[in-house]
Amino acid sequence: MEPALHLDTADGVATVRIANPAKRNAMTTDMWRALPGLLGECAADPAVRVLVLTGEGDTFCAGADIATLTEGAETSRDLAVAAEEALAAFPKPTVAAVRGHCVGGGCQLAAACDLRFAAEGASFGITPARLGIVYAASSTRRLVELVGPATAKYLLFSAELIDTDRALRTGLVDEVWPRDALDKRVAEFARVLASRSQLTQAAAKEFAAGARPGEERLAYWAEQARGSGDTAEGVAAFLERRAPRFGWTVGRPR
């Protein structure tokens, strides 16, 4: 199998699979370059309400393909950061479904997702200290915001791997499931996310990003809420004891 990113979309959920099984799904230069465009397609597709990032087979991603570092460590790092930032900026909910190794650039991608669900036995690590690479400032800040400075320093200074128990305890992952139950749980939760108000999710994602919203953005979201009809639909569905049919979509407010 040639290294590639595979996209499947069904029932409002886009699943991106990292596939490079000969190298534990390590990301090649071409894969790093392809990810932002693939995410752009999903962001623009009104049928996509949730994105799941996972790896082919029994591992998530072992990081950057070391062979690509011959092109220059800075080039590889910059491509990884561009892909990470595109994933973090994706305007709809994102979930990383992790099995096996989630290391280096793989952990960088998982950290850029909104949520991370892992299978028992998965391992996590940030490994530039093994190669003498300066980890990007933006990636370091994201890691610190996710797990706190102490755990971030442990991971970055040592390049050691941690197990799912420690990952769950430190906030690197949100849920841990038996290996044979992970796909079912992720699919169920993705369906839940797809059924909720995309207006609520998009605003919450922007507000949670850290920067305090200015008056212009607050006015924008107030206008979207007034014009969307989502609140009226949500209340009506609750009173009628039925599933809501929310109409607002990213990029296509109604």
Side-chain angles (χ1 to χ4, degrees), residues 30-104:
D30 287 343
M31 293 164 75
W32 287 123
R33 288 194 175 105
L35 185 56
L38 198 62
L39 294 172
E41 291 177 22
C42 294
D45 186 350
V48 172
R49 301 184 69 88
V50 181
L51 184 134
V52 174
L53 180 67
T54 192
E56 191 73 33
D58 61 358
T59 198
F60 182 74
C61 175
D65 186 344
I66 299 301
T68 64
L69 295 183
T70 58
E71 301 178 25
E74 288 189 12
T75 297
S76 180
R77 185 192 64 185
D78 291 347
L79 289 172
V81 169
E84 173 195 1
E85 292 300 328
L87 185 56
F90 190 76
K92 306 168 187 181
T94 56
V95 181
V98 179
R99 286 188 183 79
H101 283 76
C102 180
V103 180

Side-chain angles (χ1 to χ4, degrees), residues 118-145:
E120 292 173 347
S123 56
F124 302 81
I126 308 287
T127 54
R130 294 185 183 182
L131 300 170
I133 295 171
V134 174
Y135 201 54
S138 58
S139 306
T140 301
R141 287 193 297 271
R142 178 168 290 112
L143 183 65
V144 169
E145 289 170 0

Side-chain angles (χ1 to χ4, degrees), residues 172-195:
L172 186 57
V173 300
D174 299 283
E175 295 185 8
V176 176
W177 291 83
R179 290 178 63 87
D180 60 358
L182 180 65
D183 285 345
K184 181 181 179 182
R185 171 56 181 158
V186 171
E188 288 175 346
F189 192 73
R191 284 194 294 270
V192 169
L193 294 178
S195 73

Side-chain angles (χ1 to χ4, degrees), residues 9-21:
T9 302
D11 301 323
V13 180
T15 301
V16 175
R17 295 186 182 277
I18 304 168
N20 187 4

